[in-house]
Amino acid sequence: MRKLLPLIGNPHGGGRSALTCRYRCGDACFHEVPNTSDNEYAGDIIARTWSRRSMLRSAAVVTVATAAGTAVAVGGSGTQATAAPAADAQGAAEGAGQAARGLRFTSVAPNTADQVTIPEGYAQNIVIKWGDPIVKGAPGFNADKQTAAAQAGQFGYNNDFLSLLPLGSGYERQQLLVANHEYTDEVLMFKGYDPANPTKEQVEIAWAAHGLSVVVVQEDHRSGKLTAVNRHQLNRRLTATSEFRMTGPAAGGALLKTSADPSGTKVLGTLNNCAGGTTPWGTTLHGEENFNQYFANGGSVTEPVQAARLKRYGITGAASERKWERFDKRFDVVQEPNEANRFGWVVELDPYDPDSVPRKRTALGRFKHEAAQPRLTEDGRPVIYMGDDERFDYFYKFVSGKRMMKGNSRAAKEHNLTLLDEGTLYVAKLTGDSPADQIDGSGKYPSDGQFDGTGQWIPLATGNVSHVPGFTAEEVYVFTRQAADKVGATKMDRPEDVEPSPRTGRVYVALTNNSKRGTTGQPGADEANPRNANKHGQILELAESFDDPAGDAFAWRLFLVAGDPNDAATYFAGFPKDKVSPISCPDNVAFDPHGNLWISTDGNQLGSHDGLFGVATTGERRGELKQFLTVPRGAETCGPLIQDKRVLVSVQHPGEIDGASVEKPESVWPDGPGKIVRPAVVSVWRKDGKNIGV
């Protein structure tokens, strides 16, 4: 087992800097938890489940029974931690022989190098960076002479989710790259930036640096190298001031109307786009996450109903961090009470049509969308899995009422662009009931190894019909969190990215961490969350009943409990822990062509820089986890995309260390000393031209 590095300290604790907390999510972890409902917490359900089974499944760990009957263990640090589950039948492995196909590379050791560190025998290049011109007429990047007009035609800031789409026959060496731009870090963008007094030009540049980018990339015929094709006719920028359309059952409703848009259907901009998804019909989905931080004066609202709604979405206090409300009244909830309701949605983009207007899909609900990943039912209806990235918030899915039309005809395209406007929105409720206790010979629940519990998908709304007592359908869609509170959804530890396996249909939910776990009034440590403050996170695996993604029930189990493998409380699906890489804070997830799950991390708590990991999900090597790369100082790994010949990642917020500024950089990546730090997209491939990890 590799030696772990000492923690890279910051006064707020852990691996994420205070600077990141301020600009990325508006210091969400230091505010009151928005969810004050009495709904049950997933950790408590898991604790009870493992209490019943710990003697059978944790025999390898010395346990002590508490008064409540919960099995606990002494971790390697000497602090109290709960026992991780032992290997189940499918996960048990000897760890001998070759790694799983797709993971046959030399693991990268934990490190703090100010670079993208990759395995031996691999090469890399920077595909595109913040400020690179992509639209016709856009100038080259000049940090000292940046303007809003220039930025509106250049690649945006803090790239996150990535999608690569084919361009079709005759263009086999070109693909269409779509990227989210989650947020701006003004102190690293502008010399002499004064957070208390931003200029209008700085604010307008930040507006233009948010949003989405579409850019054609060219593939080198001898390697996995990708190069951006500047000023291609399909290239496009969408910003915080671009036109977007509200669609679906809440569009045009009273809760979405503003003085600038009395129709309630036309919105300017998209904000804080984090992860997303790629649809089978050729569009991309983009989740608006920490939108609340851009809106000011929530604390000045005194009308009880509106104040409660704003508080549930974290819109509190006075001035916003970026002070955008000084330059556009729509960011002041006192002046424009409904503008904030127009953010927090899933956006659908047609990247093949540079003239199309992206749509915000109200049928998918409003919350802090980390991602939106589709899967088709057997009869061709899309199902979208979604997480609400907040401590103690919920996990959702949407089941369309329409079937996807195949083909590239105009009729098929127009039909498929309506798929996410009609259907049923659900929220998850987990129980500790064992699937084994309920097997009736029908095959409803999976039989491949021990599952920890079952769950129900609780319907919230279908079209214009609400399933939540006391809520209209419009209120369900616009105030989805409160509707889910009402029906007793299960509180989770920051459900971030969600990905169904294209091979098995199993759904993997990244639960990044929960800084409030074990604090006053909050649940304490248990088997699934073995440390108070739950600083390392875990990944949950779900199996839909009858393998039907449109069904109303599922089984669940822990797939991975992150942290130092030497800690007794960690768990890697039963794979020997002396043969895995340490991992902390799983965030984005993606599948490779072999069915392995790849995990990017955010806020590593083990002393190393954040990175990208691959883990086998099936077979005798299930749970074998290997680190593929690490990112530079202060950066986060985002948007992993694994193809046969290459791995793409977004290197987000490099140099985002407390005290850093343009004048005092904490990283020299990617352009070296004397140059401004720039987020970028990186491609990695094998030097011998063979497929990744084989």
Side-chain angles (χ1 to χ4, degrees):
M1 191 68 245
R2 294 185 177 92
K3 182 179 179 180
L4 299 183
L5 299 164
L7 282 175
I8 307 169
N10 78 65
H12 296 257
R16 177 183 283 185
S17 75
L19 195 61
T20 303
C21 294
R22 185 187 316 152
Y23 284 106
R24 182 181 184 181
C25 58
D27 283 330
C29 291
F30 305 103
H31 295 161
E32 179 184 353
V33 174
N35 189 352
T36 58
S37 72
D38 294 328
N39 293 2
E40 195 163 23
Y41 177 49
D44 296 330
I45 297 169
I46 296 170
R48 291 196 305 272
T49 301
W50 285 104
S51 295
R52 294 198 304 268
R53 301 169 193 163
S54 59
M55 293 303 292
L56 295 176
R57 300 190 63 190
S58 300
V61 181
V62 178
T63 59
V64 180
T66 66
T70 302
V72 301
V74 177
S77 64
T79 58
Q80 191 180 64
T82 56
D88 60 31
Q90 184 178 3
E94 296 299 324
Q98 276 193 315
R101 188 169 177 81
L103 302 179
R104 294 170 187 169
F105 52 82
T106 302
S107 295
V108 168
N111 68 82
T112 56
D114 191 25
Q115 64 184 33
V116 175
T117 304
I118 59 178
E120 297 175 7
Y122 284 75
Q124 62 176 296
N125 82 299
I126 293 174
V127 180
I128 192 167
K129 297 176 284 191
W130 165 49
D132 284 350
I134 63 174
V135 175
K136 185 177 180 180
F141 179 69
N142 186 331
D144 296 323
K145 297 181 179 180
Q146 183 71 319
T147 67
Q151 179 65 83
Q154 298 167 339
F155 195 67
Y157 199 80
N158 271 342
N159 36 269
D160 196 302
F161 167 74
L162 300 174
S163 179
L164 276 175
L165 297 164
L167 283 183
S169 178
Y171 298 93
E172 286 79 9
R173 292 294 179 185
Q174 290 187 334
Q175 298 182 70
L176 201 56
L177 175 68
V178 184
N180 282 357
H181 300 292
E182 186 174 3
Y183 69 99
T184 47
D185 198 336
E186 283 80 351
V187 73
L188 299 180
M189 296 171 67
F190 307 118
K191 287 183 178 178
Y193 181 71
D194 180 0
N197 295 289
T199 68
K200 182 180 180 182
E201 181 72 7
Q202 289 169 337
V203 168
E204 290 179 345
I205 292 170
W207 289 345
H210 278 72
L212 315 173
S213 287
V214 181
V215 57
V216 173
V217 291
Q218 180 75 38
E219 180 183 272
D220 181 270
H221 71 281
R222 293 168 296 183
S223 70
K225 180 179 180 180
L226 291 178
T227 305
V229 180
N230 295 336
R231 304 175 179 89
H232 191 282
Q233 62 182 358
L234 290 179
N235 291 3
R236 189 180 187 189
R237 275 303 322 282
L238 292 149
T239 73
T241 58
S242 300
E243 181 180 339
F244 288 73
R245 186 186 308 161
M246 305 296 303
T247 69
L255 296 171
L256 297 180
K257 294 179 179 179
T258 66
S259 62
D261 174 36
S263 73
T265 60
K266 180 181 177 181
V267 182
L268 294 183
T270 184
L271 296 172
N272 213 264
N273 300 94
C274 194
T278 304
T279 71
W281 53 93
T283 64
T284 52
L285 305 178
H286 309 268
E288 296 183 316
E289 192 186 11
N290 294 297
F291 65 92
N292 58 299
Q293 63 174 304
Y294 301 94
F295 292 92
N297 298 323
S300 299
V301 175
T302 57
E303 195 282 316
V305 173
Q306 185 189 5
R309 289 168 171 173
L310 290 170
K311 185 176 181 180
R312 185 65 180 87
Y313 280 83
I315 302 175
T316 58
S320 69
E321 174 64 39
R322 294 174 177 81
K323 313 295 189 295
W324 288 1
E325 64 275 13
R326 295 182 183 177
F327 305 96
D328 190 335
K329 70 174 186 177
R330 68 190 178 113
F331 295 106
D332 184 338
V333 298
V334 173
Q335 297 189 68
E336 285 290 354
N338 285 346
E339 184 68 26
N341 296 346
R342 293 142 66 90
F343 294 86
W345 304 98
V346 170
V347 176
E348 184 171 14
L349 170 69
D350 179 1
Y352 292 103
D353 182 359
D355 297 320
S356 63
V357 177
R359 298 160 167 88
K360 296 193 179 188
R361 302 299 194 184
T362 64
L364 275 63
R366 174 176 166 265
F367 43 87
K368 288 187 178 182
H369 283 276
E370 170 76 15
Q373 190 58 42
R375 178 188 176 194
L376 293 178
T377 63
E378 285 190 4
D379 63 357
R381 289 174 295 142
V383 175
I384 310 292
Y385 294 97
M386 304 170 287
D388 185 348
D389 185 10
E390 187 80 69
R391 297 156 295 162
F392 304 114
D393 253 297
Y394 308 128
F395 173 49
Y396 299 84
K397 78 174 179 181
F398 168 81
V399 180
S400 177
K402 293 183 176 182
R403 300 179 183 180
M404 185 187 84
M405 286 181 62
K406 296 181 179 180
N408 296 318
S409 68
R410 182 174 180 178
K413 182 175 181 178
E414 291 178 352
H415 170 81
N416 291 339
L417 286 175
T418 69
L419 292 174
L420 302 185
D421 283 338
E422 298 180 21
T424 300
L425 179 65
Y426 297 86
V427 69
K429 183 173 184 178
L430 279 66
T431 74
D433 297 332
S434 169
D437 298 338
Q438 301 183 30
I439 289 177
D440 58 5
S442 67
K444 179 178 181 180
Y445 294 106
S447 59
D448 59 328
Q450 179 70 59
F451 276 73
D452 302 332
T454 59
Q456 294 292 318
W457 291 111
I458 304 175
L460 298 176
T462 305
N464 294 320
V465 177
S466 169
H467 303 300
V468 182
F471 283 73
T472 66
E474 183 183 6
E475 289 170 337
V476 169
Y477 296 120
V478 179
F479 305 114
T480 310
R481 283 181 166 180
Q482 289 166 303
D485 293 342
K486 180 79 171 181
V487 300
T490 300
K491 297 179 179 180
M492 310 288 282
D493 281 352
R494 289 186 57 203
E496 294 218 25
D497 205 354
V498 183
E499 192 90 8
S501 169
R503 290 197 169 195
T504 67
R506 298 291 165 81
V507 180
Y508 295 83
V509 187
L511 304 171
T512 297
N513 54 38
N514 187 344
S515 63
K516 294 297 183 181
R517 185 171 181 79
T519 59
T520 302
Q522 302 295 346
D526 58 47
E527 285 86 343
N529 307 281
R531 308 158 193 86
N532 283 332
N534 186 18
K535 60 185 180 180
H536 296 299
Q538 61 270 351
I539 291 181
L540 208 63
E541 180 183 37
L542 276 66
E544 297 272 22
S545 64
F546 296 111
D547 194 31
D548 178 11
D552 60 3
F554 58 88
W556 61 266
R557 63 183 168 193
L558 285 169
F559 174 68
L560 186 151
V561 180
D564 179 354
N566 290 318
D567 186 340
T570 57
Y571 176 65
F572 296 82
F575 198 81
K577 296 198 294 181
D578 62 342
K579 301 182 184 299
V580 300
S581 296
I583 185 173
S584 177
C585 300
D587 190 340
N588 296 152
V589 291
F591 278 91
D592 68 16
H594 308 283
N596 302 306
L597 183 70
W598 289 62
I599 307 163
S600 64
T601 65
D602 172 20
N604 189 310
Q605 305 283 313
L606 295 172
S608 174
H609 285 177
D610 278 311
L612 179 66
F613 303 75
V615 58
T617 61
T618 60
E620 67 171 9
R621 305 192 75 85
R622 172 180 157 91
E624 179 181 32
L625 181 137
K626 302 179 68 176
Q627 182 156 8
F628 184 76
L629 60 75
T630 55
V631 292
R633 180 170 168 78
E636 172 191 345
T637 321
C638 296
L641 199 160
I642 298 87
Q643 298 182 312
D644 287 323
K645 294 290 187 181
R646 72 181 57 82
V647 170
L648 254 66
V649 293
S650 285
V651 178
Q652 193 186 86
H653 60 74
E656 200 173 58
I657 303 291
D658 297 343
S661 65
V662 173
E663 296 84 356
K664 185 183 176 182
E666 290 288 345
S667 172
V668 298
W669 191 88
D671 294 328
K675 303 292 186 180
I676 194 168
V677 177
R678 298 166 70 181
V681 177
V682 173
S683 179
V684 182
W685 65 92
R686 280 179 59 154
K687 291 180 179 179
D688 61 10
K690 295 181 180 179
N691 287 356
I692 299 293
V694 299

